[in-house]
Amino acid sequence: MTISTVKQKVLSGALAGVLMTTFGIAAPMMALTHSANAAPADNLTAAKRLNKLLTNTKSMTANFTQTTKGATNGTFKGSMSVQRPNNFRWETKSPSEQLIVANGNSMWIYDKDLEQATKQGVDAQVGNTPALLLSGDPNKIDKNFKITQPYDDKNYYVLYPKSDDASFKNLSVSFSGGKPVMMVLNDTLGQTTSIKFTGIKMNPKLDGSQFKFTPPKGVDVINQ
């Protein structure tokens, strides 16, 4: 299997098919450094706190390092940007190139090495994906996830999808200084995908054109 094929499987699978954002294996380890006496917050309190943090994230840009461990192993680096409502750009630059661009109507996955672009519709399933955290409506999160805060004094949350059709078992997210810096996603295939953000810029003004995509000439286009 080529690097490009592995990469496409990692991104398309781990990112759960629509606007995917998955971050940080180190988040649980950060939580373990806290006192064993720190009590968890109740679910309602955790949901309100997470909602407030996400509501403050109206747009964001960052560099990322993504690592997947399990049946498929790989580490990829690139940049991302997100803007509410429902705009998302995820660009892998190393070790090979892939671009995911999404808005409220559609999502494109473009693999430069494979000369292939896949177009997918954005439907109600987005509510069961990690994308809802950064690009969707924060008020809908508790309708789609059971939200827990293992340590009452730590901005670290673990979310469990309520839908039986979700592509992941749970998602952890950590904040530092109000910024979403890490997550860890455990998918239904037994894989763990981690992403760590660096160079984070909160609420910058973004050009809407970066959330649009036109396939280059000669590229094989697949509609799903």
Side-chain angles (χ1 to χ4, degrees):
M1 183 178 293
T2 65
I3 290 177
S4 295
T5 304
V6 170
K7 176 170 60 62
Q8 186 175 35
K9 183 176 181 181
V10 170
L11 283 173
S12 300
L15 298 183
V18 185
L19 306 174
M20 305 312 124
T21 60
T22 54
F23 318 35
I25 187 71
M29 289 187 258
M30 291 169 62
L32 291 176
T33 63
H34 264 241
S35 169
N37 295 323
D42 64 75
N43 291 357
L44 180 60
T45 299
K48 288 181 177 179
R49 289 174 177 173
L50 179 59
N51 179 278
K52 183 177 180 180
L53 286 165
L54 294 173
T55 299
N56 290 334
T57 307
K58 297 176 176 60
S59 64
M60 171 180 162
T61 62
N63 298 317
F64 69 83
T65 299
Q66 172 181 319
T67 301
T68 296
K69 296 182 179 180
T72 300
N73 295 308
T75 298
F76 310 100
K77 296 183 178 181
S79 61
M80 61 82 71
S81 58
V82 62
Q83 184 176 49
R84 298 188 194 279
N86 303 320
N87 293 313
F88 188 82
R89 183 182 180 90
W90 186 272
E91 187 170 5
T92 301
K93 301 176 181 178
S94 173
S96 52
E97 297 182 45
Q98 186 182 64
L99 175 66
I100 297 178
V101 177
N103 52 46
N105 299 313
S106 62
M107 180 185 77
W108 285 94
I109 302 175
Y110 171 51
D111 193 307
K112 184 176 181 179
D113 295 338
L114 296 180
E115 297 184 339
Q116 177 177 293
T118 301
K119 184 179 181 181
Q120 299 179 356
V122 177
D123 55 25
Q125 290 301 315
V126 70
N128 296 315
T129 70
L132 187 64
L133 291 176
L134 294 183
S135 63
D137 184 352
N139 295 313
K140 296 180 180 179
I141 294 174
D142 60 350
K143 295 181 181 179
N144 294 282
F145 299 97
K146 174 186 175 183
I147 302 171
T148 66
Q149 186 180 6
Y151 297 84
D152 185 67
D153 59 346
K154 183 71 174 180
N155 280 327
Y156 159 62
Y157 303 84
V158 184
L159 289 74
Y160 301 86
K162 294 180 179 180
S163 171
D164 294 333
D165 298 328
S167 60
F168 61 98
K169 295 180 179 179
N170 58 68
L171 172 70
S172 303
V173 55
S174 289
F175 292 80
S176 177
K179 301 176 181 179
V181 293
M182 288 179 143
M183 291 183 185
V184 57
L185 178 117
N186 293 303
D187 67 24
T188 55
L189 301 176
Q191 298 184 136
T192 297
T193 297
S194 66
I195 300 176
K196 180 178 180 179
F197 289 113
T198 57
I200 299 171
K201 294 182 180 179
M202 295 294 290
N203 300 322
K205 184 176 181 180
L206 301 178
D207 186 344
S209 64
Q210 67 178 294
F211 304 113
K212 299 178 181 179
F213 177 78
T214 300
K217 291 183 178 180
V219 169
D220 183 23
V221 177
I222 300 173
N223 288 290
Q224 294 185 348

